Amino acid sequence: MILSADQSAFRLWCKPMAIASTSASTSANQISTDDLMIVNAARVLGTLAAAGNAACFVGIGLPSTAANLARHLYSPEPVLIYESGCIGSKPTRLPLSIGDGELADTSDSVVSVPEIFSYWLQAGRIDVGFLGGAQLDKFGNINSTVIGSYEKPKTRLPGAGGAPEIAATAGQVIVIMRQTKRAFVDRCDFRTSFGFGDGPGHRERLGLRGGGPKIVITDLGVLEPDPQTCELVQTQMHLGVTAEQCVENTGWKLRIAENVITTEAVTDREVNALRELQSAT
Amino acid sequence: MAEILSLKEAIARFVKDGSTIAMEGFTHLIPHAAGHEIIRQSRRNLHAIRMTPDMVYDQLIGAGCVSKLTFSWGGNPGVGSLHRFRDAVENNWPHQIEIEEHSHAGMAARYVAGASGLPFGVLRGYVGTDLVDQTSSIKTISCPFTNEELTAVPAINPDVSIIHAQRADREGNVQIWGLLGVQRESVLAAKASIVTVEEIVDKLTPVSGGVVIPSWVVSAVCLVSNGAHPSYASGYSERDNSFYKSWDDIAKDRESFVEWVKNHILGTTDFDSFSRSVGISALV
C-alpha cells in the first residue's frame, strides 16, 4: 500500500487548511488546497501520458484522486497501476484502499503482489511513481517511517510499503505533500525513500535506475530540483501565494526560482470533473 | 490432504505459544476470524509476519499475543494510524515488541524464496535507504555473472500461514480469485497452513483469473462465511470501509480497545457470535 505512496496515513500529521478560492473558475465550488494539488498533479500526468510515459504507479489518497482525474480529463489516459496487483484500473469511484474490489474489477489485468513488484516495477515498466510522506528534505528524500529516532520514535509512521523501490526504479517520481516547516525539512529523520540522497551524483553512485523526484506539488505551488545542485527550488506558486509564504513554510533555506511562475488557475472543466469523481465515491 | 476442521480446532492444533505465524491477504481476503480465534485462545509470544499489519494485527498486538512483528507497512489503509501498533512501538504497551521492518518488494521476495525452497530472495531494493541500517535481514550480494551488487533477503518459512479464500471443495482444494496478494506464496512457504473459506462446495468450477491451491499442500480448511470481514472476498462480499473507519476510534485509546476485545472477541464463542455482537450481517 502505498505508500507506499499512501498519503492518507499522514492526515493526522498534516493540518488541513482551506484557502479562499484563488481560482478563475466561475463555479460555485470553493477550491480547496487539496483540489489545487490534485488538479496540478493531474495536469503533470496528462502531459506525461501525452509524451508516451503513461504507466503510473499510484497510491491511495491524493495520488489516486489525481491519477483518476487525469484519466477523465486527458487522452491518451495514464495507465493506473496499484501495488495490490491491478494493472490498467479504471475505477468509476475513488477507492478507499488500494485493494478495493472496484480496482480489480475494472483492471486490464490482475497479478499477484510478487509479480507487481518484480515483473512490473523492478523490471522498469513504470514511468511515473507518486509518493508522499511525513517529511521531505531538500534533496527529495522522503521519510514515511519514524519521527524522532528509530529506536525510540516520537511518532511511529506506517513505514515503507512499496515506496523505496518506487523511488529507486520509476522513470520519475512525483511527490505530493503539503508545504510546512515541519514536513519540508533540511534532513529527514529517516530516509525511507531515496531522492537525490546527499546531492549530485549520489543516485548514479548507487546504481539506481529510475530518474528520481522530478516535481513536488504542494498546497503553495511546485518545487523542482535544480539540475546542477539537485536541491529543490520553488519554481511555481499558486495564485495569491507569495514567495515569503513559501520560504516561511520550508525548513531549509528555500530558493525561489528567478523565473518563478504562477500555476494556471483551476478551470471549470477540471473542477467539474473532480467533483463528479468525488460525488460518485 | 487438508482436513476440514472447525476454526477453533485448527487454531488449537497449529498455532502454539511462540509460533512464527503469517496471516496474509493484501486488503482482500484477510483472515480476521482466525485472528479473533487466536486472541480467544490467548496465544502468546507469537512472531507475527504480515506485509500490511492492518486491523487484524492491531488486534493481536493490542491483545498481547505478539512478541515480534515482521512487516512492511503498518497503517489503517485509507484511514490513518494503526493505534495499537503505534502504542506498542512508541510506549511498549501492552508490552515491548521487536520489529523487523522491510519494504513490500522485499517481503514479496522473501515469501517467494520461502515457497521456492531457497534460502534467500534477491532483488534490486532498499539501496540508499536507512532500513539497511536497522534491519539485519537485509544484505548485499554480488551477482556471480555480472558482479552487479544486489540485495538479498532471507526466505520466510512460517510455522503456520493463515489465509482466507473464496471456497474449497470437500477434499480441501482451495480456490482463490481477484486480488491474489501473497496468498499462494505464504501457504507454500509455511510448514502448516490454515485456510478459512466462504463456502465448501462439491465441485470447484473454474473462475477467470483464479488459482487453485491443491489440498495436499494445505493442512486445514475451515468454513467461516464472511470470515474476512471487514476485508472481503471478491464474489461474496464487499470491503466494509465504514468498519475500517470506525476502528480508528475503537483502537485510539487503550480502554476502549480492551473493552471492545472483551465484549466482542473474548465474550463471543466464534465468528458468527462475534458478527451478531458487533452487528454485521453475514453476507452483503
Side-chain angles (χ1 to χ4, degrees), chain A residues 1 99 122 150 156 158 161 191, chain B residues 72 74 90 101 104 130 232:
Chain A
M1 215 119 329
Q122 183 170 265
Y150 189 79
R156 175 64 228 199
R191 207 174 266 179
Chain B
S72 42
E90 293 170 12
E101 186 163 4
H104 280 351
D130 287 342
Y232 69 105

Side-chain angles (χ1 to χ4, degrees), chain B residues 1-14:
Chain B
M1 280 286 281
E3 281 185 75
I4 313 277
L5 296 176
S6 72
L7 180 57
K8 183 178 269 182
E9 194 179 347
I11 297 295
R13 203 187 293 180
F14 294 105

Side-chain angles (χ1 to χ4, degrees), chain B residues 47-51 68-72 100 102 107 110:
Chain B
H47 173 190
I49 302 169
R50 176 167 166 73
M51 292 182 69
K68 179 177 177 183
L69 174 71
T70 294
F71 74 108
S72 42
E100 180 180 336
H102 279 267
M107 287 293 282
R110 298 186 67 186

Side-chain angles (χ1 to χ4, degrees), chain A residues 53 72 171 187 206 212 227 263:
Chain A
N53 300 312
H72 287 270
R187 192 177 168 86
L206 294 177
T263 58

Side-chain angles (χ1 to χ4, degrees), chain A residues 68-272:
Chain A
N68 277 293
L69 178 63
R71 229 170 38 71
H72 287 270
L73 288 173
Y74 304 106
S75 175
E77 308 178 356
V79 178
L80 274 51
I81 298 168
Y82 290 83
E83 65 186 359
S84 52
C86 300
I87 298 171
S89 287
K90 300 165 201 68
T92 52
R93 54 188 165 82
L94 297 169
L96 180 72
S97 87
I98 43 122
D100 278 23
E102 170 80 3
L103 293 177
D105 296 344
T106 60
S107 288
D108 296 330
S109 178
V110 178
V111 301
S112 71
V113 164
E115 252 190 65
I116 203 82
F117 284 104
S118 52
Y119 299 176
W120 299 87
L121 180 61
Q122 183 170 265
R125 294 191 164 88
I126 305 298
D127 299 313
V128 190
F130 247 124
L131 295 176
Q135 290 181 330
L136 171 82
D137 71 21
K138 65 182 169 205
F139 290 125
N141 305 298
I142 297 173
N143 173 15
S144 53
T145 303
V146 286
I147 303 296
S149 75
Y150 189 79
E151 294 73 21
K152 192 77 195 129
K154 207 169 110 219
T155 306
R156 175 64 228 199
L157 302 161
E165 286 74 28
I166 295 170
T169 311
Q172 60 175 282
V173 169
I174 303 174
V175 180
I176 303 193
M177 276 175 71
R178 285 177 180 278
Q179 197 165 346
T180 66
K181 233 187 176 89
R182 189 153 75 143
F184 281 49
V185 294
D186 192 56
R187 192 177 168 86
C188 287
D189 291 0
F190 192 94
R191 207 174 266 179
T192 313
S193 301
F194 198 88
F196 294 105
D198 298 333
H202 203 167
R203 283 187 76 88
E204 292 73 12
R205 286 201 299 282
L206 294 177
L208 301 180
R209 301 186 158 202
K214 286 290 156 66
I215 185 161
V216 178
I217 296 165
T218 81
D219 50 333
L220 300 181
V222 169
L223 294 85
E224 290 168 82
D226 179 304
Q228 259 78 53
T229 65
C230 292
E231 190 174 314
L232 292 170
V233 175
Q234 191 89 35
T235 55
Q236 300 180 40
M237 297 185 296
H238 301 312
L239 200 63
V241 173
T242 64
E244 290 71 36
Q245 244 179 300
C246 297
V247 170
E248 265 168 37
N249 285 287
T250 303
W252 70 83
K253 210 165 166 304
L254 177 70
R255 212 153 54 76
I256 309 287
E258 269 170 44
N259 50 350
V260 63
I261 57 169
T262 306
T263 58
E264 244 174 82
V266 175
T267 66
D268 279 349
R269 179 169 175 262
E270 287 168 330
V271 75
N272 290 339

Side-chain angles (χ1 to χ4, degrees), chain B residues 185-203:
Chain B
E185 291 77 6
S186 59
V187 165
L188 292 173
K191 299 178 184 87
S193 57
I194 301 171
V195 183
T196 56
V197 293
E198 295 288 326
E199 194 182 11
I200 294 180
V201 296
D202 290 331
K203 191 173 166 45

Side-chain angles (χ1 to χ4, degrees), chain B residues 46-187:
Chain B
L46 299 175
H47 173 190
I49 302 169
R50 176 167 166 73
M51 292 182 69
T52 56
D54 42 25
M55 189 192 298
V56 62
Y57 274 15
D58 213 29
Q59 293 171 355
L60 286 174
I61 291 167
C65 305
V66 176
S67 59
K68 179 177 177 183
L69 174 71
T70 294
F71 74 108
S72 42
W73 192 84
N76 183 349
V79 179
S81 279
L82 217 50
H83 298 291
R84 295 299 96 224
F85 157 68
R86 277 188 60 178
D87 204 13
V89 175
E90 293 170 12
N91 309 308
N92 297 332
W93 192 93
H95 50 70
Q96 195 174 7
I97 62 168
E98 183 189 343
I99 59 171
E100 180 180 336
E101 186 163 4
H102 279 267
S103 69
H104 280 351
M107 287 293 282
R110 298 186 67 186
Y111 275 121
V112 170
S116 309
L118 286 169
F120 66 89
V122 65
L123 73 158
R124 288 196 181 91
Y126 303 97
V127 176
T129 75
D130 287 342
L131 279 170
V132 178
D133 303 323
Q134 299 299 340
T135 305
S136 59
S137 52
I138 301 170
K139 305 268 190 211
T140 54
I141 185 171
S142 86
C143 168
F145 304 104
T146 64
N147 291 323
E148 186 187 354
E149 202 157 271
L150 299 164
T151 301
V153 285
I156 288 175
N157 292 110
D159 294 323
V160 56
S161 283
I162 306 173
I163 62 165
H164 190 72
Q166 275 97 346
R167 62 190 181 195
D169 63 18
R170 297 193 194 286
E171 272 68 58
N173 297 297
V174 171
Q175 192 177 29
I176 303 177
W177 64 88
L179 299 174
L180 301 173
V182 287
Q183 303 303 77
R184 236 190 329 182
E185 291 77 6
S186 59
V187 165

